[in-house]
Amino acid sequence: MGRVPIRFVHCRLAAPRPETRETMRLFWPEYRFQRAWQITPEWLARHGLTVLLLDVDNTLTTHDSPDIGPQARAWIAQMQQAGVRLLVLSNNKPARVEPFAEMIGLGCIANAKKPLGGGVRRALARLGAKKSELAVVGDQIFTDVLCARLAGVTSVLVDPIELETFPFFRFKRALERLILRGDASGARR
């Protein structure tokens, strides 16, 4: 048998269909900060936000750390003094989340099952808050941002405090970088 010549055809990729773009918006955060403690009471007031649901791992502390750094601790105190209501919302088990939340003086919802919105709905009911005044703050697109978007509340993405080394997390972070490159809204601060 002889060789079959290979022909390369130059083609352009079509622009994303409108429905694809709309679906991608679910993964785009409305706002981005490098760290949670860069969010100020003044910024929250400008955006009508009075309640923050906070992820734990890589948002307030490093992954699985039982302690919290001085910047995060001072920020929590500053938020509380300003009248901002804070609640920990985590997918982690109660054995991890409850002692951590108690140590920093906050209530919590463990096993939140983010990105599903049940944890946000429980938080809204517990705090007597409205969706328009609440934001989910976390370091992951596929849990924190998507959860906020599906629940109809504000999403705030922060950079992870420390990148995880597990292959699953490395893969997920690579996907997140791709999604953020396509974010035409350019999440604001």
Side-chain angles (χ1 to χ4, degrees):
M1 273 197 176
R3 290 182 152 200
V4 177
I6 299 173
R7 284 184 31 185
F8 290 97
V9 178
H10 176 73
C11 65
R12 285 185 343 175
L13 294 175
R17 296 189 326 223
E19 60 271 16
T20 303
R21 240 176 129 56
E22 282 305 310
T23 301
M24 289 304 294
R25 282 185 204 277
L26 288 173
F27 300 100
W28 293 339
E30 292 169 86
Y31 301 100
R32 283 188 74 187
F33 288 86
Q34 186 177 6
R35 298 283 180 258
W37 46 88
Q38 292 173 325
I39 301 168
T40 64
E42 296 78 22
W43 183 87
L44 292 171
R46 275 196 313 273
H47 293 89
L49 300 169
T50 60
V51 179
L52 296 179
L53 302 184
L54 305 168
D55 184 44
V56 174
D57 291 323
N58 268 330
T59 299
L60 293 177
T61 189
T62 55
H63 193 79
D64 283 335
S65 173
D67 202 8
I68 189 167
Q71 287 178 306
R73 193 177 290 277
W75 176 75
I76 289 169
Q78 175 192 26
M79 290 289 130
Q80 290 174 320
Q81 286 175 333
V84 177
R85 294 183 290 166
L86 306 172
L87 185 75
V88 171
L89 182 72
S90 175
N91 282 350
N92 224 317
K93 295 178 173 82
R96 159 76 171 129
V97 178
E98 290 171 359
F100 183 86
E102 186 176 320
M103 175 189 65
I104 59 176
L106 300 179
C108 69
I109 295 175
N111 290 329
K113 296 180 177 63
K114 297 181 285 184
L116 303 177
V120 172
R121 287 190 295 278
R122 289 194 325 243
L124 287 166
R126 182 187 293 182
L127 299 170
K130 298 178 202 158
K131 285 184 177 186
S132 62
E133 61 187 356
L134 185 141
V136 174
V137 179
D139 68 299
Q140 294 188 56
I141 289 175
F142 299 112
T143 54
D144 305 306
V145 171
L146 185 55
C147 175
R149 294 300 214 152
L150 292 174
V153 300
T154 300
S155 60
V156 179
L157 180 69
V158 296
D159 293 344
I161 294 172
E162 179 180 272
L163 290 176
E164 305 88 349
T165 57
F166 308 113
F168 172 74
F169 275 106
R170 291 176 63 196
F171 174 72
K172 194 158 67 163
R173 295 295 184 190
L175 286 177
E176 288 178 341
R177 284 190 300 275
L178 285 172
I179 288 170
L180 290 173
R181 266 191 232 137
D183 180 0
S185 71
R188 306 170 306 272
R189 290 186 184 225

